[in-house]
Amino acid sequence: MTDAVGSIDKPDADDDETPESNKKSRKGGKRGKKGPLGRLALFYRQIVAELRKVVWPTRNQLTTYTTVVIVFVVVMIGLVTVMDYGFQRVVKYVFG
């Protein structure tokens, strides 16, 4: 039998009728036995582990990035202000 892509290399899950597949499977693995506080502690440990992988910017990089963002926002505010003023003049001219 073929799967959704047409490959015959992998057997379908429905064709697996071994005695091992008839056993009850545990839901959740190791997390299934822990209570809510254990799962919460695991969640926070995973957050800390992920934050340790983050490459934090140096103070110089942070200052540079902040300056670029502030300058960009100021330029965009100026552009929108000029366009708004222009549209206001056009509307006043057309509608009196």
Side-chain angles (χ1 to χ4, degrees), residues 16-32:
D16 189 18
E17 293 296 329
T18 60
E20 293 84 23
S21 67
N22 293 335
K23 292 181 184 177
K24 272 189 169 180
S25 64
R26 290 189 318 187
K27 291 184 180 178
K30 291 182 181 179
R31 284 186 253 159

Side-chain angles (χ1 to χ4, degrees), residues 2-48:
T2 62
D3 61 1
V5 234
S7 171
I8 59 173
D9 297 348
K10 300 177 187 172
D12 287 343
D14 299 333
D15 295 340
D16 189 18
E17 293 296 329
T18 60
E20 293 84 23
S21 67
N22 293 335
K23 292 181 184 177
K24 272 189 169 180
S25 64
R26 290 189 318 187
K27 291 184 180 178
K30 291 182 181 179
R31 284 186 253 159
K33 290 191 174 187
K34 293 183 180 179
L37 292 178
R39 289 194 303 255
L40 188 62
L42 174 66
F43 177 69
Y44 283 116
R45 281 194 306 270
Q46 289 174 344
I47 288 174
V48 170

Side-chain angles (χ1 to χ4, degrees), residues 71-83:
V71 167
F72 177 77
V73 168
V74 167
V75 167
M76 292 306 295
I77 288 173
L79 181 67
V80 169
T81 302
V82 167
M83 289 175 58

Side-chain angles (χ1 to χ4, degrees), residues 64-74:
T64 302
Y65 298 156
T66 304
T67 304
V68 167
V69 168
I70 290 173
V71 167
F72 177 77
V73 168
V74 167

